[in-house]
Amino acid sequence: MYDCGKIAIIGGGSWATAIAKIVVGKTHHIGWYMRRDDQIEDFKRLTHNPSYLTSVHFDINEIEFSSDLNKIADAYDTLVFVVPSPYLKNHLKKLKVRLKDKFIVTAIKGIVPDENLICTEYFHQVFDVPHDNLACIGGPSHAEEVALERLSYLTVGCSDMEKAQAFAEVMNSQFIKTKTSTDVIGIEYSSVLKNVYAIAAGICSGLKFGDNLQAVLMANAVQEMARFLQSVHPIERNVYDSVYLGDLLVTGYSNFSRNRVFGTMIGKGYSVKSAQMEMEMIAEGYFGTKCMKEINRHWHVNMPILDAVYNILYERIAPQIEIKLLTDSFR
């Protein structure tokens, strides 16, 4: 059985905090990289993250904090990256430690902007990490519910099933059920697309459409997702598994979904900039929409929901007009 060794969390947000809660509960020691020293000092004093999931308390003696990414990367065997995708490149610019021999797990549900690469592929191409040393975490898993220890289901994807199973065992607990998959590409792309579709759901909500349309939107979204996944990575997969459809549904419907909240504000008439300023949190789907639009220029998959969200966010077409055209195409 593969041994994940010493595990470190890279990132200081809500999902990073939730994953840290899971991992330290099993291993009783983690490294934890946070960018700001003041956040680390407040965390140590309060015994909880001062900015996210403040109800989750930790045994500080079980955590090695550092704002030095190289120190953490050098000392730990498994690195779990949980930073917003738009900031991943900047974080990694300061890295001098070789990642090739590390086990890299990405819990980032986004695409690296400008590169238009899913995160595992970015680590592979830029840092020469072998695919067998790359894993991802997917599935319906709002950080807030994990923090409350509400039953959640996660899928660990890796081309090396022994490593996938080893990390899945680390994540498994009374309130986290885990499974494994080799469909890393499908899991990562579906994690990006579900954020785009959640923005669409939010826009429709902001425009005062009801549950009936939301259901039709989600039904069309899973078909659109399936078309894209089968084009870019044509393997046998069940798109109705929790890691695909489940993640889509929870992100499209839940009030915990920041992408849905962002879309709702757009539907109510907020500009993109004003919505982003008021939220004070990253809606990954905003960046994912542009990346997926550019990626699909190569694949030419029929993706009317993606196109509609792109037109609203980047072409500044009125939501009422774009959603009317979109819904007229639904059956």
PDB file of all heavy atoms in Angstrom, residues 123-135:
ATOM      1  N   PHE A 123       0.793  21.292 -13.551  1.00  0.00           N
ATOM      2  CA  PHE A 123       1.910  20.734 -12.780  1.00  0.00           C
ATOM      3  C   PHE A 123       2.750  19.783 -13.639  1.00  0.00           C
ATOM      4  O   PHE A 123       3.970  19.724 -13.495  1.00  0.00           O
ATOM      5  CB  PHE A 123       1.391  19.992 -11.547  1.00  0.00           C
ATOM      6  CG  PHE A 123       1.030  20.888 -10.405  1.00  0.00           C
ATOM      7  CD1 PHE A 123      -0.291  21.123 -10.061  1.00  0.00           C
ATOM      8  CD2 PHE A 123       2.026  21.514  -9.655  1.00  0.00           C
ATOM      9  CE1 PHE A 123      -0.618  21.943  -9.003  1.00  0.00           C
ATOM     10  CE2 PHE A 123       1.708  22.343  -8.592  1.00  0.00           C
ATOM     11  CZ  PHE A 123       0.379  22.571  -8.266  1.00  0.00           C
ATOM     12  N   HIS A 124       2.099  19.059 -14.518  1.00  0.00           N
ATOM     13  CA  HIS A 124       2.814  18.116 -15.381  1.00  0.00           C
ATOM     14  C   HIS A 124       3.683  18.853 -16.396  1.00  0.00           C
ATOM     15  O   HIS A 124       4.875  18.532 -16.568  1.00  0.00           O
ATOM     16  CB  HIS A 124       1.821  17.216 -16.105  1.00  0.00           C
ATOM     17  CG  HIS A 124       2.456  16.281 -17.093  1.00  0.00           C
ATOM     18  ND1 HIS A 124       3.308  15.253 -16.719  1.00  0.00           N
ATOM     19  CD2 HIS A 124       2.385  16.237 -18.458  1.00  0.00           C
ATOM     20  CE1 HIS A 124       3.718  14.615 -17.802  1.00  0.00           C
ATOM     21  NE2 HIS A 124       3.190  15.185 -18.866  1.00  0.00           N
ATOM     22  N   GLN A 125       3.117  19.846 -17.071  1.00  0.00           N
ATOM     23  CA  GLN A 125       3.840  20.525 -18.141  1.00  0.00           C
ATOM     24  C   GLN A 125       4.908  21.494 -17.628  1.00  0.00           C
ATOM     25  O   GLN A 125       5.989  21.601 -18.201  1.00  0.00           O
ATOM     26  CB  GLN A 125       2.852  21.267 -19.047  1.00  0.00           C
ATOM     27  CG  GLN A 125       1.960  20.351 -19.869  1.00  0.00           C
ATOM     28  CD  GLN A 125       1.182  21.096 -20.938  1.00  0.00           C
ATOM     29  OE1 GLN A 125       1.541  22.224 -21.326  1.00  0.00           O
ATOM     30  NE2 GLN A 125       0.111  20.493 -21.426  1.00  0.00           N
ATOM     31  N   VAL A 126       4.593  22.200 -16.556  1.00  0.00           N
ATOM     32  CA  VAL A 126       5.498  23.258 -16.085  1.00  0.00           C
ATOM     33  C   VAL A 126       6.516  22.731 -15.075  1.00  0.00           C
ATOM     34  O   VAL A 126       7.677  23.165 -15.065  1.00  0.00           O
ATOM     35  CB  VAL A 126       4.683  24.426 -15.482  1.00  0.00           C
ATOM     36  CG1 VAL A 126       5.614  25.495 -14.921  1.00  0.00           C
ATOM     37  CG2 VAL A 126       3.761  25.028 -16.536  1.00  0.00           C
ATOM     38  N   PHE A 127       6.099  21.776 -14.232  1.00  0.00           N
ATOM     39  CA  PHE A 127       6.990  21.302 -13.162  1.00  0.00           C
ATOM     40  C   PHE A 127       7.422  19.854 -13.357  1.00  0.00           C
ATOM     41  O   PHE A 127       8.050  19.270 -12.471  1.00  0.00           O
ATOM     42  CB  PHE A 127       6.300  21.478 -11.804  1.00  0.00           C
ATOM     43  CG  PHE A 127       6.085  22.923 -11.442  1.00  0.00           C
ATOM     44  CD1 PHE A 127       4.882  23.553 -11.746  1.00  0.00           C
ATOM     45  CD2 PHE A 127       7.085  23.661 -10.828  1.00  0.00           C
ATOM     46  CE1 PHE A 127       4.678  24.882 -11.435  1.00  0.00           C
ATOM     47  CE2 PHE A 127       6.883  24.988 -10.514  1.00  0.00           C
ATOM     48  CZ  PHE A 127       5.685  25.612 -10.819  1.00  0.00           C
ATOM     49  N   ASP A 128       7.052  19.284 -14.501  1.00  0.00           N
ATOM     50  CA  ASP A 128       7.521  17.943 -14.873  1.00  0.00           C
ATOM     51  C   ASP A 128       7.106  16.868 -13.869  1.00  0.00           C
ATOM     52  O   ASP A 128       7.816  15.873 -13.677  1.00  0.00           O
ATOM     53  CB  ASP A 128       9.049  17.949 -15.040  1.00  0.00           C
ATOM     54  CG  ASP A 128       9.543  16.798 -15.905  1.00  0.00           C
ATOM     55  OD1 ASP A 128       8.767  16.334 -16.763  1.00  0.00           O
ATOM     56  OD2 ASP A 128      10.688  16.357 -15.702  1.00  0.00           O
ATOM     57  N   VAL A 129       5.973  17.059 -13.212  1.00  0.00           N
ATOM     58  CA  VAL A 129       5.468  16.046 -12.280  1.00  0.00           C
ATOM     59  C   VAL A 129       4.816  14.927 -13.098  1.00  0.00           C
ATOM     60  O   VAL A 129       3.934  15.197 -13.914  1.00  0.00           O
ATOM     61  CB  VAL A 129       4.442  16.640 -11.299  1.00  0.00           C
ATOM     62  CG1 VAL A 129       3.952  15.569 -10.324  1.00  0.00           C
ATOM     63  CG2 VAL A 129       5.036  17.822 -10.541  1.00  0.00           C
ATOM     64  N   PRO A 130       5.223  13.682 -12.901  1.00  0.00           N
ATOM     65  CA  PRO A 130       4.613  12.579 -13.666  1.00  0.00           C
ATOM     66  C   PRO A 130       3.119  12.447 -13.355  1.00  0.00           C
ATOM     67  O   PRO A 130       2.684  12.753 -12.238  1.00  0.00           O
ATOM     68  CB  PRO A 130       5.384  11.346 -13.173  1.00  0.00           C
ATOM     69  CG  PRO A 130       6.604  11.858 -12.502  1.00  0.00           C
ATOM     70  CD  PRO A 130       6.268  13.216 -11.979  1.00  0.00           C
ATOM     71  N   HIS A 131       2.358  11.996 -14.331  1.00  0.00           N
ATOM     72  CA  HIS A 131       0.916  11.847 -14.113  1.00  0.00           C
ATOM     73  C   HIS A 131       0.616  10.914 -12.949  1.00  0.00           C
ATOM     74  O   HIS A 131      -0.379  11.097 -12.233  1.00  0.00           O
ATOM     75  CB  HIS A 131       0.240  11.334 -15.393  1.00  0.00           C
ATOM     76  CG  HIS A 131       0.063  12.412 -16.423  1.00  0.00           C
ATOM     77  ND1 HIS A 131       0.644  12.354 -17.672  1.00  0.00           N
ATOM     78  CD2 HIS A 131      -0.617  13.586 -16.382  1.00  0.00           C
ATOM     79  CE1 HIS A 131       0.331  13.439 -18.355  1.00  0.00           C
ATOM     80  NE2 HIS A 131      -0.426  14.205 -17.596  1.00  0.00           N
ATOM     81  N   ASP A 132       1.469   9.914 -12.724  1.00  0.00           N
ATOM     82  CA  ASP A 132       1.257   8.986 -11.613  1.00  0.00           C
ATOM     83  C   ASP A 132       1.411   9.661 -10.248  1.00  0.00           C
ATOM     84  O   ASP A 132       0.976   9.105  -9.233  1.00  0.00           O
ATOM     85  CB  ASP A 132       2.249   7.815 -11.696  1.00  0.00           C
ATOM     86  CG  ASP A 132       1.868   6.818 -12.777  1.00  0.00           C
ATOM     87  OD1 ASP A 132       0.802   7.001 -13.406  1.00  0.00           O
ATOM     88  OD2 ASP A 132       2.631   5.856 -12.998  1.00  0.00           O
ATOM     89  N   ASN A 133       2.032  10.819 -10.216  1.00  0.00           N
ATOM     90  CA  ASN A 133       2.208  11.570  -8.965  1.00  0.00           C
ATOM     91  C   ASN A 133       1.221  12.725  -8.846  1.00  0.00           C
ATOM     92  O   ASN A 133       1.400  13.610  -8.006  1.00  0.00           O
ATOM     93  CB  ASN A 133       3.627  12.116  -8.851  1.00  0.00           C
ATOM     94  CG  ASN A 133       4.612  11.059  -8.367  1.00  0.00           C
ATOM     95  OD1 ASN A 133       4.218   9.950  -8.037  1.00  0.00           O
ATOM     96  ND2 ASN A 133       5.887  11.405  -8.338  1.00  0.00           N
ATOM     97  N   LEU A 134       0.204  12.727  -9.695  1.00  0.00           N
ATOM     98  CA  LEU A 134      -0.777  13.810  -9.691  1.00  0.00           C
ATOM     99  C   LEU A 134      -2.165  13.267  -9.382  1.00  0.00           C
ATOM    100  O   LEU A 134      -2.592  12.272  -9.974  1.00  0.00           O
ATOM    101  CB  LEU A 134      -0.801  14.510 -11.053  1.00  0.00           C
ATOM    102  CG  LEU A 134       0.430  15.345 -11.394  1.00  0.00           C
ATOM    103  CD1 LEU A 134       0.455  15.678 -12.882  1.00  0.00           C
ATOM    104  CD2 LEU A 134       0.448  16.622 -10.561  1.00  0.00           C
ATOM    105  N   ALA A 135      -2.845  13.919  -8.468  1.00  0.00           N
ATOM    106  CA  ALA A 135      -4.200  13.511  -8.103  1.00  0.00           C
ATOM    107  C   ALA A 135      -5.085  14.742  -7.972  1.00  0.00           C
ATOM    108  O   ALA A 135      -4.602  15.876  -7.861  1.00  0.00           O
ATOM    109  CB  ALA A 135      -4.196  12.726  -6.787  1.00  0.00           C
TER     110      ALA A 135
END
